[in-house]
Amino acid sequence: MTPLTISLKNLIRRKSRSFFIVMAMVIASASFVAVKTYSDAMKMSITHRMEKYGANIIITPGSDVLDLPYNGLDMAPFSIAGEEISEKDFERIKYIKNYANIAAAGASVSGITAISGKRVVLTGIDFSKLYILRPWWDLAGIEPKPGGVIAGATAASVLGISQGDMIKVKGRSLTVEGILEKTGSGDDNIIFTDLKNAQMILNKEGRLSMIEIAALCSGCPIEEMVLQLTGVFPQADVRGIKQVIDSRSEYIDQVESMIYGILSVLLVICGLVVLTTMMNNIRERSGEIGIFRAIGFTRAHIIKMIISEALLLSSLAGITGYAAGMLSVYLWGIFVPAGEDFIVHFNITTLFLAMLITMATGISAGIYPAIAASRLDPVQALRHV
Amino acid sequence: MVKIENITKTYGTGSSAFTALRGISIDVEEGEFLALTGESGSGKSTLLSVAGGMNTPCSGIVKINGRDIYALNQEERSVFRNMELGFVFQSFFLVPYLNIEENVMVPLAPLEISGKVKREMTKNALEMVGIYSKRGNLPGEVSGGEMERAAIARALVNSPSLLLADEPTGNLDSKTGRVIMELFSEFNRKGMTIIMVTHSSDCASAAGRVLKMADGLIH
C-alpha cells in the first residue's frame, strides 16, 4: 500500500467521474492524432505525387543567353549556346549535406544539329535515370540503348522517322529506338540520345548543359538543398521548380495552422473540464483528505496523490486517444478515398506527442486541485464530514 | 510525556470571535489514561486536536516526548503525527473504497518500508482488536463496532507512543462501547498513554484520571 495505490483505488471507485475526465482528454488527444495523422498522410501522398513529376531541381550554367521554359514550369533562363558545366563537376553533388535526399541526378547536354537537312535540338541524357527524372514518358515498347535515339513526337513527325529507322547525324548512323507519345512539353521537339553519344556529336566532350535532380520530397528541404547546391556550383544557376515547392509549402502551412488552431481550443476546453471535475472531486473527498492529513500524510503526499491520479487518467486518455484518432483516420480513408498514395502509418512521434499533450494537460489541470487539497485543514475537513 | 502549557485558542475575529480554550495547562504522564469530559462546546475536542498537532493554538506550548510540536513546520509535524501519534475519531472516518486491511494500512502508506512489513504490522494491529477475519471486507460490509475496531487498529498500526481518541464510543451502542473501552484499558495496561475525549461517564470511568472541561477551562 502506497499513496499511489490509494489514488488508483479512488479512480476505480469513482468510475463514472474518471470516465468523464478520460473522455474529455480522449477527445482532445484523438482530434490531435486524427488531424496530425491525416495531415502526415496527405503530405506523404503529395510527396509521392510530386516525386512522380520527376526532377524538381535544375542546375544550368550561369548564363543569360537564352530564356526557355522547362516543361511549362516557371524556370530560370538556361543556356544552350553559352558556357557549359564541366562534367567532372557533376560529382560535387555528393558533397551537399542533404545528398541522401537525392533520388536521382542526371546530366544532360543539348545542342543544335542537322538531321535530314533539318535543324533539330539533340539532347544527350542518362537513359538509366529516365524512370525517375522523366516518369511522365511513356516508354512502352521502347528500350533505350547507347548509340540509339528516342525521338520526341513532333520531331519524329517533322523528320518523318519511325521506330527502327536509321538516321544520320554528322556522319554517324543511329537507330531510332522509339518515338515518344506526345508529352505536351518541350521534349516533343527533341531528339534524345545517350549522353556520351551526344557529347561526341555536338563536340561537347566533358561538358554538360544541365543537371536535373529529383529530390525525395519526404521531409526534404528543397529550398535548403538549392542553397547547398548553389554552394557547390557557385558559377551555375540552381533553381527549384517553384510551383512544386510553393504549392507543397502552402498546403502544409494551411494544414499545420489548422492543427494548431483546433488543438489549442480543444486543449483549453479539455483542461477546463478536467480542472472542474477534479475540483468537484476534491470537494467530495475533503473528509478523506482530512483523515490522510490527520494521520500524517504531508502536503507533498497529497499533491503527489492528486497529480498521480491526473497522470494515470491522462496516460490512459493519451493511449485511448491515439487509438481512436488512428481508427478515425483509417475509417475516413475507407469512406472518403483520398487516392492510392494516401496511406495511414503508425507514427511513434505522434503517439509520443499525444501522450505528452494529454499528460501536460492532465498535470496542468491537476496542479490547482492538488494544491487546494494539500491546503485542507484536517480539523475543518473532518468537521464537515 | 505530554505537557500542555497555557494553551489558548480563539476561532474567528472581532464580534464573531469564539474562544474555545482559555489558558489550559495539563501534564500527562507516560502510561497514563486521561479522560476529558464536558458538555458540547466546552473545548475538549479542540484541546485534543491541539494536543495532536492538528490545530495550531493562539498561544501556549504543547510538548510530546519533550518536543515542542508547534515549533516544527507543517511537514515535520505531519511526519511527527504519523510516527508518534495514533488518532481514533468519533465517526470512524474509514475510507469507503478501501477494505478493512487497507484502511488500517493507510498510516503506513507514506512510509518507505516493504509491503511485506506493512502487511505484517497491519495483521498485528487487526489481531490486537480482533477483526483480522474481516480484513477483506469494505467498511460498509461490517458492523459499527467492527468499524470502530478498524479505526482503533489504524491508530495503533504504527505503534504510537500516544493514542488520542475523540468520542470513540459516540456512535456505538452501550454494549459495543463497553467492549471498546475494555480494549482501551487493555492497551493502557500494556503501557500505552491515552488521552480520550468523551461525553460518557461510563467511558470516563475506564480512565485513570478524569478532567472536566467547561467554557474552555479545566474545572
Side-chain angles (χ1 to χ4, degrees):
Chain A
M1 159 84 66
T2 63
L4 185 64
T5 319
I6 298 172
S7 296
L8 192 61
K9 286 187 174 273
N10 169 58
L11 294 179
I12 293 168
R13 182 227 181 181
R14 292 177 162 89
K15 286 186 195 75
S16 56
R17 183 150 293 179
S18 303
F19 175 77
F20 286 121
I21 292 177
V22 169
M23 281 313 292
M25 287 194 281
V26 162
I27 290 168
S29 168
S31 304
F32 165 77
V33 171
V35 174
K36 179 147 189 349
T37 304
Y38 187 81
S39 146
D40 286 349
M42 282 304 292
K43 280 188 220 172
M44 195 61 77
S45 173
I46 285 178
T47 295
H48 288 147
R49 288 177 201 173
M50 293 301 168
E51 281 164 2
K52 285 177 184 169
Y53 292 166
N56 46 19
I57 297 175
I58 306 292
I59 303 171
T60 56
S63 169
D64 55 359
V65 175
L66 183 61
D67 285 357
L68 281 178
Y70 178 78
N71 291 336
L73 296 172
D74 178 19
M75 281 303 304
F78 80 97
S79 165
I80 288 177
E83 293 293 321
E84 272 98 11
I85 299 166
S86 168
E87 193 172 4
K88 65 175 188 279
D89 290 341
F90 181 78
E91 296 298 311
R92 289 191 201 169
I93 292 168
K94 291 179 181 170
Y95 303 136
I96 69 165
K97 185 180 160 194
N98 284 90
Y99 178 67
N101 290 103
I102 293 177
S108 66
V109 66
S110 295
I112 308 294
T113 190
I115 300 173
S116 304
K118 292 183 173 124
R119 286 165 64 80
V120 294
V121 177
L122 178 73
T123 295
I125 56 175
D126 183 349
F127 283 147
S128 67
K129 309 277 177 62
L130 273 181
Y131 290 97
I132 300 174
L133 295 172
R134 284 181 169 74
W136 60 88
W137 278 15
D138 183 2
L139 291 169
I142 304 173
E143 288 182 20
K145 295 187 188 79
V149 300
I150 296 173
T154 308
S157 173
V158 168
L159 295 172
I161 57 175
S162 55
Q163 191 169 11
D165 287 353
M166 297 290 286
I167 56 171
K168 285 231 172 206
V169 186
K170 289 199 176 173
R172 292 167 185 267
S173 291
L174 304 174
T175 306
V176 179
E177 304 288 353
I179 311 295
L180 290 174
E181 291 292 322
K182 267 195 177 290
T183 63
S185 72
D187 291 352
D188 292 345
N189 305 320
I190 297 173
I191 300 293
F192 294 93
T193 186
D194 71 272
L195 182 62
K196 292 288 174 200
N197 207 19
Q199 284 172 328
M200 281 191 285
I201 292 168
L202 299 170
N203 292 321
K204 291 184 178 183
E205 280 95 342
R207 287 183 289 165
L208 303 173
S209 304
M210 184 164 69
I211 298 171
E212 296 166 280
I213 293 172
L216 293 167
C217 291
S218 178
C220 157
I222 291 183
E223 295 94 334
E224 179 66 26
M225 288 177 70
V226 167
L227 289 174
Q228 291 169 13
L229 287 163
T230 303
V232 295
F233 292 99
Q235 305 300 321
D237 274 335
V238 182
R239 301 283 177 118
I241 296 178
K242 293 176 186 174
Q243 287 165 338
V244 173
I245 297 168
D246 292 349
S247 63
R248 185 172 147 243
S249 301
E250 192 181 338
Y251 176 79
I252 291 168
D253 289 348
Q254 283 174 0
V255 170
E256 283 182 346
S257 300
M258 189 179 73
I259 290 172
Y260 295 128
I262 293 170
L263 249 189
S264 53
V265 173
L266 274 173
L267 283 176
V268 169
I269 294 169
C270 161
L272 289 173
V273 169
V274 175
L275 174 71
T276 310
T277 314
M278 289 196 76
M279 278 309 291
N280 286 337
N281 195 3
I282 297 302
R283 272 186 215 108
E284 272 182 18
R285 294 166 66 194
S286 59
E288 180 187 313
I289 292 164
I291 297 167
F292 294 148
R293 292 285 287 125
I295 61 181
F297 280 50
T298 61
R299 287 185 61 189
H301 287 131
I302 302 295
I303 290 173
K304 273 185 204 164
M305 282 172 67
I306 307 295
I307 294 290
S308 299
E309 288 174 19
L311 265 177
L312 283 167
L313 293 178
S314 54
S315 304
L316 182 63
I319 294 167
T320 312
Y322 181 79
M326 290 294 284
L327 183 66
S328 65
V329 176
Y330 179 73
L331 293 175
W332 182 265
I334 290 174
F335 292 113
V336 188
E340 61 181 25
D341 292 321
F342 184 86
I343 300 164
V344 179
H345 289 284
F346 167 79
N347 186 336
I348 190 77
T349 309
T350 306
L351 174 60
F352 173 76
L353 284 173
M355 294 293 293
L356 188 71
I357 286 169
T358 49
M359 287 168 87
T361 306
I363 291 173
S364 307
I367 283 175
Y368 179 70
I371 291 172
S374 76
R375 284 184 177 158
L376 280 174
D377 176 357
V379 176
Q380 293 295 324
L382 293 174
R383 193 168 287 168
H384 289 103
V385 174
Chain B
M1 172 75 194
V2 182
K3 194 171 185 64
I4 295 170
E5 284 180 15
N6 202 27
I7 292 291
T8 64
K9 179 70 185 180
T10 301
Y11 294 107
T13 53
S15 58
S16 63
F18 168 72
T19 302
L21 301 175
R22 301 169 186 272
I24 287 187
S25 297
I26 306 172
D27 280 342
V28 182
E29 298 300 322
E30 190 167 350
E32 191 177 352
F33 185 174
L34 173 69
L36 293 170
T37 63
E39 299 296 317
S40 290
S42 60
K44 53 191 189 303
S45 289
T46 299
L47 180 60
L48 196 74
S49 64
V50 169
M54 289 191 288
N55 199 356
T56 308
C58 298
S59 65
I61 292 171
V62 177
K63 283 186 177 175
I64 298 174
N65 293 329
R67 288 185 83 172
D68 179 353
I69 61 172
Y70 288 101
L72 303 173
N73 67 32
Q74 210 174 51
E75 297 297 83
E76 288 169 339
R77 209 155 60 237
S78 294
V79 173
F80 181 84
R81 278 201 300 271
N82 185 257
M83 306 300 288
E84 301 286 337
L85 308 180
F87 291 90
V88 179
F89 307 100
Q90 180 178 0
S91 302
F92 320 133
F93 291 144
L94 297 177
V95 182
Y97 53 87
L98 300 179
N99 65 30
I100 296 296
E101 184 180 41
E102 289 163 340
N103 262 291
V104 173
M105 213 185 283
V106 165
L108 306 176
L111 304 181
E112 301 284 332
I113 52 176
S114 74
K116 191 181 170 189
V117 173
K118 287 178 183 178
R119 279 191 295 277
E120 193 60 36
M121 291 169 78
T122 305
K123 185 184 174 193
N124 291 341
L126 285 168
E127 283 176 343
M128 210 183 293
V129 298
I131 55 162
Y132 183 66
S133 61
K134 301 284 182 180
R135 64 189 180 282
N137 290 86
L138 289 171
E141 297 168 348
V142 298
S143 69
E146 286 164 338
M147 280 199 269
E148 185 65 26
R149 283 166 187 260
I152 294 168
R154 182 178 64 190
L156 299 176
V157 72
N158 52 358
S159 307
S161 54
L162 174 63
L163 182 65
L164 300 167
D166 189 1
E167 304 277 8
T169 60
N171 284 339
L172 301 175
D173 60 73
S174 56
K175 187 181 168 193
T176 313
R178 276 196 296 278
V179 174
I180 296 298
M181 277 304 100
E182 280 166 22
L183 265 180
F184 272 56
S185 298
E186 190 185 328
F187 298 147
N188 179 240
R189 280 195 295 277
K190 288 177 181 171
M192 181 169 287
T193 310
I194 301 171
I195 301 177
M196 176 180 72
V197 164
T198 182
H199 274 107
S200 159
S201 53
D202 279 354
C203 290
S205 64
R209 180 160 60 125
V210 179
L211 293 175
K212 187 168 183 187
M213 288 187 68
D215 298 326
L217 291 168
I218 302 282
H219 285 275

